[in-house]
Amino acid sequence: MAEAVIEIERLCYGGAGFGRIDGKACFVPLTAPGDRARVRVVKEKRSFAEAEVVELLEPSPLRTLPPCPYFGVCGGCDWQHLPYEEQLKQKGEIFADTLGRIGKVPRELVLPVSPSPECYGYRSRIQLKLARKEGAPMLGFFKRGSHEVVDLAFGCALAAPVLNRLLAEIRGLLPRLPQLEGIPQVDLAMGDDGDTIAVFHFRGKDAALLVDRLLAARQELPSAAGVYVKSGEKGEMHYVFGADSLSYGVPAGLFPGSREMRLRFSRGGFSQVNYRQNLELIRTVGEWGALQVGARVLDLYCGNGNISVPIAPLVREVVGVEGYAPSIADAAANAEGNSVSNASYQVGDAALSVRRLAKRKEKFDLVILDPPRAGAEAAGDLAYLAPERILYVSCDPSTLARDLAQLCGAGYRVERSKPVDMFPQTYHVESVTELIRR
């Protein structure tokens, strides 16, 4: 492959540095703005190229020493070689550029990135891959650009300390587990009180044998409040021992009129990975939602009621829709457990639910969207419900920008958008965007 010298101008969504080789755009992972490097082109397309660093000729003055021994090999982090202030700057520019380029959102409507109070040790969930090398089990994350596992002997710098303790306990137990080749992944999650649950994914023939062995080894997993085995095509959960759910708190006064709550999510269920930044999402929706006693709120992709349960006491009614049935059970339990009687939650496809509600001529004052990375299929039909305000919570700037363009074409305008740094040391960013009906 051809080699060339490149100067890195900025960072891009995806984490790579951007520069030009003979005028052609080139993306180089693990570089920093201001780097001058000799690179090897590894992929060339008509309009751009991808390259890897051969030699760092002149390091950027921005560079800092990564604290993690696996950085650069493990695919989990992108920017540990940059100070956090620079990460925030680059995320803000990438986010604003994406919304402007794809969604035609004016730059002045994009607010500064809300920084994370913790840059390391913030993750409350990790998904560990399991492989074997020369007969020895390896537990960690995939190497950058491959499906080869990096064994995290020293733990993960982004994971909460209790998850690293549990990871070490599981690593010690692995050589004595049966049918180890049938365990491709172990999920670890924690509540904000430090309780943890481990879920072992299993593709072997006898899940009961693994359950029995894990139960017998309970004393070797003191950091686990609960353990489960997930097997079969339908992901059946087998109870091993302990807790079946985790929880986190929402403090009183987070936004005007809000009260203290505690929200749960079941083993294997979804929760945001950064609890303190999750509160920033809830706070922003509570403040921007113009919540009124007579308002009806529709919460699409509602999960466990993470956003709509806390705001429900300030409105007339909340209707939540989510495709994952266990999350709906959690949402209903969260409403009941926090004495919220005006919220109802149902399993359903968001786009189909919007069409049904529109056909029944139901009206909502506020619609909250919190879709997966692929974006909101329901976005195109929201105009039929004619809500005065839409609050779109997104984890992907590109699909957000695409959906905003569609909503603006259907009679809405973007009022403001706030990026929230849920994922320090990576290029990922969460956000909240407010749209008002014109």
Side-chain angles (χ1 to χ4, degrees):
M1 292 287 190
E3 291 189 4
V5 174
I6 191 171
E7 294 187 3
I8 301 302
E9 301 171 18
R10 55 185 170 84
L11 299 180
C12 300
Y13 191 74
F18 171 85
R20 293 186 182 274
I21 298 176
D22 296 330
K24 178 183 278 192
C26 183
F27 302 95
V28 189
L30 303 174
T31 54
D35 276 347
R36 185 170 177 269
R38 182 177 303 281
V39 299
R40 180 183 299 110
V41 175
V42 295
K43 184 184 292 185
E44 189 152 14
K45 301 287 186 180
R46 243 176 102 179
S47 59
F48 71 92
E50 296 177 8
E52 61 185 13
V53 174
V54 175
E55 181 185 3
L56 198 54
L57 301 174
E58 294 178 21
S60 166
L62 293 171
R63 279 186 171 267
T64 188
L65 188 65
C68 177
Y70 308 110
F71 178 69
V73 180
C74 172
C77 290
D78 309 288
W79 291 348
Q80 282 192 27
H81 61 301
L82 290 170
Y84 189 51
E85 294 75 14
E86 183 65 21
Q87 294 182 32
L88 293 172
K89 175 187 172 185
Q90 294 292 330
K91 284 190 183 188
E93 291 178 357
I94 293 167
F95 184 80
D97 176 71
T98 304
L99 262 58
R101 186 166 35 85
I102 302 174
K104 310 304 180 199
V105 177
R107 186 171 285 263
E108 61 267 22
L109 299 183
V110 179
L111 303 179
V113 182
S114 179
S116 175
E118 299 167 310
C119 300
Y120 290 95
Y122 64 84
R123 283 197 69 105
S124 61
R125 287 189 299 111
I126 53 175
Q127 293 182 331
L128 300 164
K129 306 300 180 182
L130 180 58
R132 301 180 78 148
K133 186 174 183 179
E134 298 175 356
M138 304 179 71
L139 186 64
F141 302 132
F142 285 141
K143 282 186 177 180
R144 184 174 297 275
S146 81
H147 285 92
E148 188 177 342
V149 174
V150 178
D151 190 33
L152 298 181
F154 302 104
C156 170
L158 301 193
V162 66
L163 293 185
N164 279 323
R165 288 200 299 272
L166 181 54
L167 187 161
E169 293 163 10
I170 291 171
R171 286 184 81 250
L173 181 62
L174 287 177
R176 286 173 284 120
L177 291 182
Q179 305 174 78
L180 197 60
E181 67 283 354
I183 306 175
Q185 180 172 309
V186 183
D187 299 342
L188 307 183
M190 61 168 274
D192 68 356
D193 56 2
D195 281 353
T196 66
I197 287 179
V199 177
F200 290 75
H201 293 242
F202 185 65
R203 294 177 182 166
K205 294 182 179 179
D206 191 355
L209 183 59
L210 177 59
V211 168
D212 290 344
R213 188 67 60 87
L214 287 168
L215 181 58
R218 181 171 186 168
Q219 299 305 315
E220 298 179 56
L221 300 172
S223 299
V227 172
Y228 289 79
V229 172
K230 185 176 184 179
S231 71
E233 292 182 3
K234 295 183 178 179
E236 180 185 359
M237 283 286 192
H238 304 268
Y239 174 79
V240 180
F241 67 79
D244 67 349
S245 65
L246 299 169
S247 66
Y248 55 94
V250 179
L254 184 64
F255 53 88
S258 69
R259 56 182 172 85
E260 183 178 4
M261 292 190 174
R262 190 132 199 105
L263 304 180
R264 59 163 267 173
F265 61 98
S266 299
R267 69 281 183 279
F270 176 81
S271 68
Q272 293 287 5
V273 302
N274 187 330
Y275 283 131
R276 295 179 72 175
Q277 287 297 75
N278 181 52
L279 294 180
E280 178 66 13
L281 293 182
I282 298 171
R283 185 185 70 78
T284 302
V285 172
E287 290 182 351
W288 291 8
L291 307 176
Q292 297 177 348
V293 174
R296 292 190 82 209
V297 178
L298 177 62
D299 184 10
L300 297 173
Y301 315 94
C302 67
N304 68 332
N306 178 55
I307 292 175
S308 54
V309 170
I311 70 172
L314 300 176
V315 300
R316 175 164 63 97
E317 182 186 8
V318 165
V319 175
V321 178
E322 163 66 49
Y324 185 58
S327 287
I328 285 295
D330 286 337
N334 283 330
E336 182 179 1
N338 289 283
S339 301
V340 171
S341 58
N342 63 336
S344 60
Y345 293 94
Q346 54 193 270
V347 180
D349 176 82
L352 290 176
S353 297
V354 167
R355 292 181 200 127
R356 289 194 192 104
L357 291 166
K359 192 172 183 180
R360 297 203 300 260
K361 301 191 183 307
E362 295 209 34
K363 298 295 180 184
F364 294 89
D365 304 281
L366 169 65
V367 172
I368 301 167
L369 297 167
D370 190 0
R373 200 168 297 283
E377 283 186 43
D381 297 309
L382 279 182
Y384 295 119
L385 295 177
E388 285 299 317
R389 180 176 275 99
I390 297 170
L391 292 177
Y392 192 139
V393 179
S394 169
C395 60
D396 187 290
S398 298
T399 55
L400 168 65
R402 177 201 68 198
D403 293 344
L404 292 181
Q406 191 172 25
L407 287 165
C408 288
Y412 286 83
R413 61 177 170 82
V414 173
E415 186 75 3
R416 51 189 164 172
S417 185
K418 178 200 284 186
V420 175
D421 191 17
M422 186 77 71
F423 316 97
Q425 316 308 327
T426 79
Y427 68 86
H428 297 287
V429 65
E430 201 89 6
S431 63
V432 183
T433 302
E434 179 185 13
L435 298 103
I436 304 293
R437 189 156 63 97
R438 289 198 294 263

